[in-house]
Amino acid sequence: MSSVHAQNHDENVYLSVTVSPSSRFFENPESLAVNPALTHLGSVGALRDVQLLSAPRGSWPRLQGEILASLNSLEGVKHVEIQGTPRQRVKRGDDL
């Protein structure tokens, strides 16, 4: 079951982690939080193989290398990506 995650990009850094369907993380994605600073938020939409994690922005510069190395070294982790701040979309008006 997927859920919507309220994200605060001022307070947190978000990571999407793609896992292999045959890995232990597919059935137990909470175990991806390999660092005490990481919080598992759940799957990204309906994609069970893509999980969302967050870390406090204040400690991110100090922990970034350690966290990324830990996640990338896990057997069954295919890809780790730092999520950027969402861009504001412009609504088109009738005057265009």
Side-chain angles (χ1 to χ4, degrees):
M1 176 182 215
S2 65
S3 61
V4 176
H5 312 289
Q7 296 181 8
N8 182 341
H9 286 269
D10 293 331
E11 297 288 324
N12 298 301
V13 172
Y14 295 93
L15 306 166
S16 64
V17 181
T18 305
V19 298
S20 170
S22 62
S23 77
R24 65 184 174 103
F25 302 111
F26 193 75
E27 294 302 323
N28 186 14
E30 296 83 13
S31 61
L32 285 167
V34 294
N35 185 291
L38 286 175
T39 301
H40 176 258
L41 300 174
S43 61
V44 175
L47 303 173
R48 289 188 56 211
D49 62 334
V50 182
Q51 299 295 317
L52 188 64
L53 303 173
S54 69
R57 188 167 292 284
S59 55
W60 181 246
R62 180 174 47 87
L63 297 174
Q64 178 179 0
E66 177 185 332
I67 288 173
L68 292 175
S70 295
L71 289 170
N72 281 309
S73 69
L74 295 172
E75 188 173 333
V77 170
K78 295 166 73 175
H79 183 70
V80 178
E81 183 176 334
I82 300 169
Q83 300 298 296
T85 304
R87 296 185 309 227
Q88 184 70 28
R89 293 187 175 143
V90 178
K91 183 178 178 181
R92 293 188 200 183
D94 293 329
D95 58 332
L96 293 180

